[in-house]
Amino acid sequence: MAENRGDAEERGDSVDAKFWPQRQSKAPRPPDKAGRDGKAGAVSAAPYRYRMDYPSIGTCVIINNKNFHGSIGMETREGTDVDAEAVERTFRSLGYKIRREDDRTVGEMEELLRTVSQEDHSGSASFVCVLLSHGDEGIFYGTDGFTELKTLTGMFRGDRCKTLVAKPKLFFIQACHGDCLEDGIQTDSSRDESWDRIPVEADFLCAHSTAPGYYSWRNQANGSWFMQALCEMLKEHSSQLELMQIMTRVNRKVALDLASSTDDHETNKKKQMPSITTMLTKDFYFH
């Protein structure tokens, strides 16, 4: 099983958490009918596949927080710009209109997403938001403090963002989800829409870089494991595979191909398992 080395040994792996152990001083079935898609009078021809015949595939908002106010005791997130640039290239190549914001306070993040959620997305097939920062279980950090993730994602609920109703809203989050380290375990290598109402929480996907309770790793030279794997798998498979198939490949790459490389035996060779929560109601293909 390959480890994430190379530049990692020179610049180090680190985690996207506020608190990091002192020992880590050196290491960094819906009905079988066609369904409405939120566009007046439009009915999907394929009941299990999101429509893509809109003028635009949609907007991709990227919030990239690297530097933090001294008062909250956060370390600079070296390597996050590598992630942000890779995400920009990847989603632009898929046809998304990119809106990137760097180093935003909690108030600025909330205002940005509130503004975007109130825009007219009737000509868009989907919406993507990529969040890069420090975090903990259920929370996400701005440069001056933290907010709940559900506050950010909740602005796009069906009762708050009407022009994205029944369209996929995809959130990709690079941040710690707790403060536990994942040791991993040795495996046996020999085994190998015609609905009157829909829930306001429908058609969301939240893909988190790590499972609840665990640290999330980021290489200071090469970017985070999760975001780099996401961009790689999208580039390789977005023209053919459905989104959840792609995300399964992202999970596999992060879980099996990567391990931390630090100078501390207690944090060295640690693993990471991304976590995907989906409320999607159809298959989503980027093309």
Coordinates of all heavy atoms in Angstrom, one line a residue, residues 29-36 43-49 193-199 281-282:
R29 N -38.3 4.8 -3.2 CA -38.6 4.5 -4.5 C -39.5 5.6 -4.7 O -40.6 5.4 -4.3 CB -38.9 3.2 -4.3 CG -39.1 2.5 -5.5 CD -38.9 1.3 -5.2 NE -38.5 0.3 -5.7 CZ -38.1 -0.2 -6.7 NH1 -38.1 0.4 -7.6 NH2 -37.7 -1.2 -7.0
P30 N -38.9 6.5 -5.2 CA -40.0 7.4 -5.6 C -40.9 6.7 -6.6 O -40.5 5.7 -7.2 CB -39.3 8.6 -6.2 CG -38.0 8.0 -6.7 CD -37.6 6.9 -5.8
P31 N -42.1 7.1 -6.8 CA -43.0 6.5 -7.8 C -42.3 6.4 -9.1 O -41.6 7.3 -9.5 CB -44.2 7.5 -7.8 CG -44.2 8.1 -6.5 CD -42.8 8.3 -6.1
D32 N -42.6 5.3 -9.8 CA -42.0 5.0 -11.1 C -42.6 5.9 -12.2 O -43.3 5.4 -13.1 CB -42.1 3.6 -11.5 CG -41.2 3.2 -12.7 OD1 -40.4 4.1 -13.0 OD2 -41.4 2.1 -13.2
K33 N -42.4 7.2 -12.0 CA -43.0 8.2 -13.0 C -41.9 9.2 -13.2 O -41.0 9.4 -12.4 CB -44.2 8.8 -12.4 CG -45.3 7.8 -12.0 CD -46.5 8.6 -11.4 CE -47.6 7.7 -11.0 NZ -48.7 8.4 -10.4
A34 N -42.2 10.0 -14.3 CA -41.3 11.1 -14.5 C -41.5 12.2 -13.4 O -42.6 12.4 -12.9 CB -41.5 11.7 -15.9
G35 N -40.4 12.9 -13.0 CA -40.5 13.8 -11.9 C -40.2 15.2 -12.4 O -39.4 15.5 -13.2
R36 N -40.9 16.2 -11.7 CA -40.7 17.6 -12.0 C -39.3 18.0 -11.5 O -38.8 17.5 -10.5 CB -41.7 18.5 -11.4 CG -43.1 18.2 -11.9 CD -44.1 19.2 -11.4 NE -45.5 18.9 -11.9 CZ -45.9 19.2 -13.1 NH1 -45.1 19.8 -14.0 NH2 -47.1 18.9 -13.5
V43 N -40.9 18.4 -17.3 CA -41.0 17.0 -16.7 C -39.8 16.2 -17.2 O -39.6 16.2 -18.4 CB -42.3 16.4 -17.0 CG1 -42.4 15.0 -16.4 CG2 -43.5 17.2 -16.4
S44 N -39.1 15.5 -16.3 CA -38.0 14.7 -16.8 C -38.4 13.5 -17.6 O -39.4 12.8 -17.2 CB -37.2 14.3 -15.5 OG -36.2 13.4 -15.9
A45 N -37.6 13.3 -18.6 CA -37.9 12.1 -19.5 C -37.4 10.8 -18.8 O -37.9 9.8 -19.1 CB -37.3 12.3 -20.9
A46 N -36.4 11.0 -18.0 CA -35.8 9.8 -17.3 C -36.0 10.0 -15.8 O -35.4 10.8 -15.2 CB -34.3 9.7 -17.6
P47 N -36.9 9.2 -15.2 CA -37.2 9.3 -13.8 C -36.1 9.1 -12.8 O -36.2 9.6 -11.7 CB -38.3 8.3 -13.6 CG -38.1 7.3 -14.6 CD -37.6 8.0 -15.8
Y48 N -35.1 8.5 -13.2 CA -34.0 8.2 -12.3 C -32.7 8.9 -12.7 O -31.6 8.5 -12.3 CB -33.7 6.7 -12.1 CG -34.9 6.0 -11.5 CD1 -35.7 5.1 -12.2 CD2 -35.3 6.3 -10.2 CE1 -36.8 4.5 -11.6 CE2 -36.4 5.7 -9.6 CZ -37.1 4.8 -10.3 OH -38.2 4.2 -9.7
R49 N -32.8 10.0 -13.5 CA -31.6 10.7 -13.9 C -31.9 12.2 -13.9 O -32.9 12.6 -14.5 CB -31.2 10.2 -15.3 CG -29.9 10.8 -15.8 CD -29.4 10.0 -17.0 NE -28.2 10.5 -17.6 CZ -27.4 9.9 -18.4 NH1 -27.6 8.6 -18.7 NH2 -26.3 10.4 -18.9
E193 N -41.0 11.3 -12.1 CA -40.9 12.3 -11.1 C -42.3 13.1 -11.1 O -42.2 14.2 -11.0 CB -39.8 13.1 -11.6 CG -39.3 14.2 -11.0 CD -38.1 14.7 -11.5 OE1 -37.3 14.2 -12.1 OE2 -38.0 15.7 -11.1
S194 N -43.1 12.4 -10.9 CA -44.2 13.3 -10.9 C -44.7 13.3 -9.4 O -45.6 12.7 -9.0 CB -45.3 12.7 -11.8 OG -46.5 13.6 -11.7
W195 N -44.1 14.2 -8.6 CA -44.3 14.3 -7.2 C -44.9 15.6 -6.9 O -44.5 16.7 -7.3 CB -43.0 14.1 -6.4 CG -42.3 12.9 -6.8 CD1 -42.7 11.7 -7.3 CD2 -40.8 12.7 -6.9 NE1 -41.7 10.8 -7.6 CE2 -40.5 11.4 -7.4 CE3 -39.8 13.6 -6.6 CZ2 -39.2 11.0 -7.6 CZ3 -38.5 13.2 -6.8 CH2 -38.2 11.8 -7.2
D196 N -46.0 15.6 -6.0 CA -46.6 16.9 -5.6 C -45.7 17.6 -4.7 O -45.6 18.9 -4.7 CB -47.9 16.7 -5.0 CG -48.9 16.1 -6.0 OD1 -48.8 16.5 -7.2 OD2 -49.8 15.4 -5.6
R197 N -45.0 16.9 -3.8 CA -44.2 17.6 -2.8 C -42.9 16.7 -2.6 O -42.9 15.5 -2.7 CB -44.9 17.7 -1.4 CG -46.1 18.6 -1.5 CD -46.9 18.5 -0.2 NE -46.1 19.0 0.9 CZ -46.0 20.3 1.2 NH1 -46.6 21.2 0.5 NH2 -45.2 20.7 2.3
I198 N -41.8 17.4 -2.3 CA -40.6 16.7 -2.0 C -40.0 17.3 -0.7 O -40.3 18.5 -0.4 CB -39.5 16.8 -3.1 CG1 -39.1 18.2 -3.4 CG2 -40.1 16.1 -4.4 CD1 -37.9 18.3 -4.3
P199 N -39.2 16.6 0.0 CA -38.6 17.1 1.3 C -37.7 18.3 0.9 O -37.0 18.3 -0.1 CB -37.8 15.9 1.8 CG -38.5 14.7 1.2 CD -38.9 15.2 -0.1
T281 N -31.9 12.1 -5.3 CA -33.0 11.3 -5.6 C -32.9 10.7 -7.0 O -33.8 10.0 -7.4 CB -34.3 12.1 -5.5 OG1 -34.3 13.2 -6.3 CG2 -34.5 12.5 -4.0
K282 N -31.9 11.0 -7.7 CA -31.6 10.5 -9.1 C -30.1 10.3 -9.3 O -29.3 10.7 -8.4 CB -32.2 11.5 -10.1 CG -33.7 11.7 -10.0 CD -34.1 12.7 -11.2 CE -35.6 13.0 -11.1 NZ -36.0 13.8 -12.2

